[in-house]
Every structure is written in structure tokens, then in C-alpha cells.
Amino acid sequence: MLYFSAITVVCIWALQFGVVVMNPVTNIECDCSATSLESDSSACCVSEFPMVEPAVRVTFRNVPNTSSIIQVKLHSMANFTEIPSQIIDTFENLEYLELTIGLERLPLTRIPGKLKHLNLSGNRITSVDIDAFLNAPGLDQINLQYNRISTLADSGAFVGPNNLKYLILYHNKLTILKRDMFKSAQNLISLDIGCNEISTIEDGTFDLPHIKEILMSENKLKTLSDQIFNGAPSVQNIDLQKNLLDHIGKAFETTTHLHQLQLSENHHLHDLNVMDLTSKLPELISLSVDATGIQSLSTNTATTSITTQSTTSTSIQSPLHTLSISQNHLSQSDFLKQLSAFSKLEKLFVDANKFTRWDDADVRSIKKYFPNIELIVTKNNVWDRRWVESTLIPVFQTNNIFCSNIKYLNTYIEGFTNSIDGQIIEGTECI
């Protein structure tokens, strides 16, 4: 995912391990000359506000240089209706503001004018009204994940920030995306609308000329319009995992710059034609189609044959280096030959299919088909054990190809290697 770089200037932090319960008339004075990390309210200028009740007034003493403080985080079990004015009045140069304080509505009446990153995750916001961020023209990232948002103003929710690049709406309650919802955010690079309840996306919703990443996993999409991505010519990463898709039609015919596509766990996408899909995506380097129910790489036998016979010309055009096609119903003995169209393949995941064996000649030609292959995950198929021991493992060992190492696989999928120095620490195991 595309995220902003971590800000290194951390300015207000009290190590409070619970809610500081005080009488409504109590004032908290934060002594900003304190350097102690002890869990008391006098340390609240070290990095983060203490957790306070809404009626408690927070004031600051001995702030050495308020203009140098650019990051503030406020977490409270209390319910604030808006950003505490003390933050805005005291720290005029804030660039990063993180608030988890029980907010229930947007717009906010006051937002620091120089703010670039606003994190409102974990609040109770139910809607984003028109002109919600009008007073924050400098915002380039808005994080609204883990709220209760079910509605966005049709065309004006994000009016104001002229250079908004990153919008995170993950884990809310959106059900429909209308065509003009993001019209005022024409400079968006990354949009995360995963883990909502979206079943309908109108054509024109993604008319965003600079968008590179659209994340829509864990929604309720059943079909995709043929025109859904027509207005997103620059998109490089699309995540549609864990939806209800049973048909993709021509949705990806205009996404010619797509690098990564994730369609896994759409359990009714039985007729997905992997060979046809990849042939229309000349820049695709990573494809995930796990648990989609497919039985072959191509739904058309003739198409598969043509693709195989024209391996040389096709493989030059396809940069695909990672293919994850696990938990399906593949069983073809000529599977490797069909895949030879992807000569740049480096990592192949075919675990939990129905393979018994692959053609011996294809296995012995594996480095010819895929000169850069490093990892082939083959676990939980119905392999002929003798064939695996006599053919598959010796070829893999000779060519320094790792099979499905359980320890390594569990961490590899999460993006890590199970070792101290980056080397795989267990040997080859293929069945």
C-alpha cells in the first residue's frame, strides 16, 4: 500500500495507562519543560496527551518553541464534539494530527490551517457532510478508518484539500459509491475502501486521473461494470479480495498499467480465464486468484493451445513474476507448459489444488521455462509420492528451487522471511 512516511518529530505524549478521571472543573497543566516519561500528567508534553474527561481543560506551560512542534496525538475515552481549541491555539504549525476522541460528526468547525495529515481513525463518525474539510486546504492524507461512516456527501465531502493524495475509509459501513463522491479529490493516488458493505459502484466513481491504488477487499461486490475503471488510466494496484464476484467481464481492459491484481477468495469466480486476463495486462507483475474455484488456466481449450504454441512471443510481453493460484481445482499434467508463457516467473503458489504429477519433461525444463524461478509452493495436493521423490524434489534441489516449506511459507505470505539474515532456514519439502 502507499502510505505517507513516518514523521519523526513526536511532540506530546504522556504514558497514561488508563483514563484520568477528574472533576469537571479540574484543569490539567502540562509542563512542557518536563523530560520524564513517568506516568503522570506533568509529562504530557513529551509525546501525547493524557486521556482526560471532556470537561477538563488542557493548558500548557513552559513550551520551549511551539512553532517547532508539528505532530500531536490525542487519545481519550471521552466524547469530544470537535478538536480541542487548546491544540489549535497552542500549536500553530501542526502538520500531523491524530485524534481518537469519540468524534461523531464531520465537518469539524476548526482544523489547523497548515495540517497535512489528519488521522481520525477509531472515532464514531457516521457521515462526512459537504465541505467537511473546507478549512484544511493543505491536507494530503485523511485517515477515517474504523469509524461508522455510511454516507458521504455526493460531491462535496472532500472539497477544500487541493492536493489530497491518500484517503483511507477502511472498515466503515458504506454500501454504495456514487459517481461524484470523489469528484473533488482529483489528485488522489491511493483510495482504501476495504472492509465496508459496498455492493454497488456507479460508473464514474473512479474517474481519478492520478489514482494508482484502489483497495476494495472484504466488500459485497458481485459484478464489475465494464466501464468501472475507464477513468483511472494510471491505476497500478487493485485489490478485490474477499468479495462475492462471479463475473469480471471487461472491467480490466482499460487498466493497461496495472502491476498488481488481487482477486482471491471470490469463491464463485469459476469462469475466470487467467491466460486471457494476463494477455490484456501487459505490465502485470503479480496476480492472486486463490480460492476462486477455477479448474484451469483458461476456460477455452483452444486459447490454451494457442498460448502454448506462441510461448516465445507471449513470454517476452508478460512481466508476471508472482502467481498465486492456490486452493483451486487445478489438476492438469501439462500445467507447467501452459505457464511457460510467463518466462519471468519467480514465485508460484499452487498449494491445495488437485495435482497428482506434472509431465516429467516439463519438470526437467523448468529452468528453461522460468529462468528466474525461486519458489514453488506445492503443499496439500494429491501428489504421487514416489514421483515427487524421484523427479520433483531432485529437479528442484538441482535448480535451487524451494518447495513449500511450512515454516517459511507461513511468514513469507505475510511479507517476511523466517530467518535472522534473510536466508530460508529449512530444507526442501514438496508435498
Side-chain angles (χ1 to χ4, degrees):
M1 289 183 64
L2 301 171
Y3 291 109
F4 62 89
S5 301
I7 296 178
T8 57
V9 181
V10 179
C11 47
I12 303 178
W13 188 11
L15 299 182
Q16 298 293 327
F17 298 100
V19 177
V20 179
V21 180
M22 298 187 177
N23 296 326
V25 295
T26 302
N27 291 339
I28 291 181
E29 288 193 356
C30 296
D31 186 350
C32 295
S33 63
T35 57
S36 170
L37 288 180
E38 297 174 5
S39 56
D40 62 75
S41 61
S42 66
C44 64
C45 284
V46 177
S47 177
E48 185 174 301
F49 272 114
M51 301 171 77
V52 299
E53 295 299 317
V56 175
R57 180 183 296 278
V58 183
T59 58
F60 302 92
R61 308 189 278 113
N62 300 322
V63 179
N65 183 3
T66 58
S67 63
S68 66
I69 295 176
I70 63 172
Q71 175 170 310
V72 168
K73 299 180 180 181
L74 172 56
H75 293 231
S76 173
M77 298 296 289
N79 298 327
F80 287 76
T81 57
E82 58 186 33
I83 298 176
S85 60
Q86 301 95 320
I87 297 176
I88 301 171
D89 295 339
T90 305
F91 305 108
E92 67 274 14
N93 287 326
L94 282 185
E95 295 182 6
Y96 177 95
L97 180 58
E98 179 178 316
L99 299 172
T100 303
I101 57 177
L103 288 171
E104 295 184 357
R105 65 182 183 86
L106 289 174
L108 301 175
T109 55
R110 295 184 67 195
I111 299 178
K114 296 182 180 180
L115 209 60
K116 293 181 179 178
H117 304 153
L118 179 61
N119 185 343
L120 297 177
S121 61
N123 285 285
R124 298 169 183 163
I125 301 166
T126 58
S127 64
V128 182
D129 298 331
I130 194 166
D131 297 340
F133 302 98
L134 187 62
N135 297 318
L139 283 178
D140 63 27
Q141 170 154 327
I142 298 174
N143 186 346
L144 295 169
Q145 67 181 354
Y146 292 102
N147 276 281
R148 304 170 186 178
I149 299 170
S150 59
T151 58
L152 302 173
D154 286 357
S155 61
F158 303 102
V159 169
N162 299 317
N163 200 32
L164 184 61
K165 292 184 173 69
Y166 305 94
L167 178 58
I168 304 172
L169 289 160
Y170 180 82
H171 206 293
N172 278 282
K173 296 184 178 296
L174 295 168
T175 59
I176 182 172
L177 298 184
K178 297 184 178 180
R179 60 176 297 115
D180 293 329
M181 274 185 171
F182 307 111
K183 184 178 181 180
S184 55
Q186 287 293 291
N187 288 313
L188 272 184
I189 291 176
S190 176
L191 175 63
D192 187 348
I193 48 176
C195 203
N196 278 272
E197 300 171 13
I198 300 168
S199 59
T200 302
I201 300 177
E202 294 183 356
D203 289 344
T205 296
F206 302 132
D207 283 1
L208 301 165
H210 305 293
I211 195 77
K212 295 189 179 299
E213 180 175 68
I214 304 174
L215 308 178
M216 297 178 281
S217 65
E218 297 182 76
N219 278 286
K220 297 182 178 180
L221 293 167
K222 291 185 177 181
T223 60
L224 300 176
S225 162
D226 290 347
Q227 292 80 39
I228 187 171
F229 300 118
N230 282 7
S234 302
V235 67
Q236 296 179 356
N237 179 15
I238 295 176
D239 185 352
L240 281 159
Q241 295 182 96
K242 297 183 180 179
N243 275 275
L244 305 173
L245 292 173
D246 57 19
H247 181 66
I248 60 172
K250 300 178 181 179
F252 299 102
E253 291 199 350
T254 60
T255 60
T256 54
H257 296 295
L258 199 62
H259 292 176
Q260 183 173 350
L261 177 59
Q262 296 169 297
L263 293 169
S264 293
E265 296 189 57
N266 285 280
H267 299 288
H268 302 290
L269 204 54
H270 304 159
D271 62 348
L272 179 66
N273 189 324
V274 173
M275 304 307 292
D276 184 59
L277 177 65
T278 53
S279 70
K280 296 172 181 176
L281 301 173
E283 297 182 16
L284 192 69
I285 60 175
S286 179
L287 176 63
S288 173
V289 290
D290 303 324
T292 53
I294 60 176
Q295 300 183 35
S296 65
L297 293 175
S298 173
T299 54
N300 185 317
T301 304
T303 302
T304 303
S305 176
I306 292 170
T307 304
T308 304
Q309 292 173 8
S310 59
T311 295
T312 304
S313 60
T314 306
S315 62
I316 293 173
Q317 297 173 4
S318 176
L320 194 75
H321 67 56
T322 300
L323 176 61
S324 188
I325 198 165
S326 303
Q327 301 175 53
N328 284 297
H329 304 289
L330 300 166
S331 60
Q332 294 81 1
S333 61
D334 65 342
F335 177 72
L336 293 178
K337 183 176 290 185
Q338 293 179 39
L339 277 185
S340 63
F342 309 121
S343 65
K344 295 185 179 180
L345 204 62
E346 298 175 8
K347 299 177 179 66
L348 174 62
F349 299 84
V350 294
D351 47 303
N353 277 281
K354 296 183 178 180
F355 293 112
T356 56
R357 61 189 295 162
W358 288 330
D359 182 83
D360 287 4
D362 290 344
V363 173
R364 296 190 181 100
S365 300
I366 200 161
K367 275 291 187 177
K368 179 180 178 182
Y369 290 155
F370 319 111
N372 301 315
I373 196 73
E374 299 172 354
L375 173 70
I376 300 182
V377 177
T378 58
K379 269 287 186 186
N380 298 321
N381 280 275
V382 287
W383 294 114
D384 178 329
R385 181 175 290 272
R386 290 186 179 180
W387 175 82
V388 169
E389 293 174 350
S390 65
T391 304
L392 191 65
I393 291 178
V395 170
F396 279 20
Q397 289 177 332
T398 300
N399 291 283
N400 198 29
I401 300 169
F402 289 94
C403 295
S404 51
N405 179 293
I406 290 292
K407 243 179 172 181
Y408 174 66
L409 175 61
N410 289 341
T411 52
Y412 176 82
I413 290 179
E414 299 300 325
F416 304 95
T417 52
N418 188 17
S419 68
I420 296 175
D421 59 358
Q423 299 298 313
I424 302 170
I425 62 175
E426 289 193 8
T428 301
E429 184 181 356
C430 293
I431 57 177

